[in-house]
Amino acid sequence: MIRPLYIFLFFILPLTCVAQRKGIHVNKAEAQAAFEYLKSVRENPAKFMKSLGVRFDTKQVSKLKLNWNEQLAETAEFRAYDMANRGYFDHVTPEGIGPNYYINKYGYTLNGDWLKKISTNNFESIAANHASAVDGIKAFIIGKGSPGFMHRKHVLGMDKWNGSLYDIGIGFVQLEKGNPYKSYLCVIIAKHDW
């Protein structure tokens, strides 16, 4: 019994205190709002093109229904929180670990081929410095800061690979003033196998 308490007091508690000093706040309501917004866009992309000021072939948008997945949500929340807490912005941690590893670690089973390289990312889009999670989704769709509109393809399922993904989790954290970014958004859309 002493060992788990020791681990908590000497390892977990200090990390929590650092995050509190940085003013990192997990916002689950924003993550859910982003999910609902993305579902609406995917259901009727033509309706949203005008308000977003973009044009794309709406026939390419996947009609596959996205399902909220708690394991992916926990993974996305961890990823957003980790970036905020440690002050980096990348699909790969400073230790070289990519999203696929964390997706699998949080209990969402992936095809073994997707885990062979520890830095692999097949399922994650990230954004930073947006006022809301919905604003981050809008930026993905508009293509702002996303060369080749890769984020748009991912979140709207606009190619064969991304169009085959069906489970989603979103993490959104906000930071108090004085930090380099005011928010981090992580969107993970995945599937278990081929």
Side-chain angles (χ1 to χ4, degrees):
M1 283 300 221
I2 293 174
R3 188 173 195 109
L5 179 60
Y6 173 81
I7 291 169
F8 176 77
L9 289 175
F10 291 96
F11 294 104
I12 306 298
L13 191 58
L15 290 175
T16 304
C17 292
V18 169
Q20 288 174 345
R21 280 198 310 270
K22 290 183 177 183
I24 302 170
H25 306 283
V26 174
N27 194 325
K28 292 179 185 284
E30 280 288 332
Q32 279 295 316
F35 171 57
E36 295 301 327
Y37 179 80
L38 181 56
K39 280 195 321 183
S40 296
V41 173
R42 285 176 68 138
E43 288 169 6
N44 190 354
K47 174 183 171 185
F48 289 89
M49 274 199 317
K50 186 174 182 180
S51 66
L52 293 172
V54 295
R55 296 193 53 77
F56 52 85
D57 185 355
T58 59
K59 292 176 190 163
Q60 291 180 339
V61 176
S62 177
K63 300 299 178 200
L64 196 59
K65 182 184 175 206
L66 292 175
N67 305 300
W68 185 262
N69 181 281
E70 275 304 317
Q71 293 162 322
L72 295 181
E74 287 176 15
T75 307
E77 191 174 285
F78 165 78
R79 290 278 301 126
Y81 188 92
D82 187 56
M83 286 187 284
N85 191 40
R86 298 201 291 158
Y88 71 96
F89 180 68
D90 200 322
H91 291 293
V92 179
T93 69
E95 297 78 26
I97 303 171
N100 287 16
Y101 169 85
Y102 288 108
I103 291 167
N104 198 63
K105 179 182 176 185
Y106 275 84
Y108 189 92
T109 309
L110 295 177
N111 182 305
D113 288 342
W114 303 334
L115 300 168
K116 287 181 179 176
K117 188 174 177 187
I118 199 162
S119 62
T120 301
N121 172 32
N122 295 107
F123 307 108
E124 179 187 78
S125 288
I126 57 174
N129 221 25
H130 294 284
S132 72
V134 169
D135 287 342
I137 297 293
K138 288 178 180 178
F140 289 154
I141 296 167
I142 292 167
K144 182 178 179 183
S146 176
F149 305 106
M150 293 305 295
H151 288 131
R152 179 192 295 169
K153 287 180 181 179
H154 178 231
V155 299
L156 296 182
M158 295 182 72
D159 57 27
K160 187 176 180 180
W161 169 254
N162 290 303
S164 73
L165 308 177
Y166 47 81
D167 288 329
I168 184 171
I170 298 175
F172 186 71
V173 298
Q174 295 167 300
L175 293 87
E176 292 176 0
K177 291 180 181 176
N179 289 293
Y181 294 114
K182 60 185 172 187
S183 68
Y184 286 85
L185 170 68
C186 179
V187 176
I188 298 175
I189 308 174
K191 64 180 179 180
H192 292 289
D193 210 338
W194 298 104

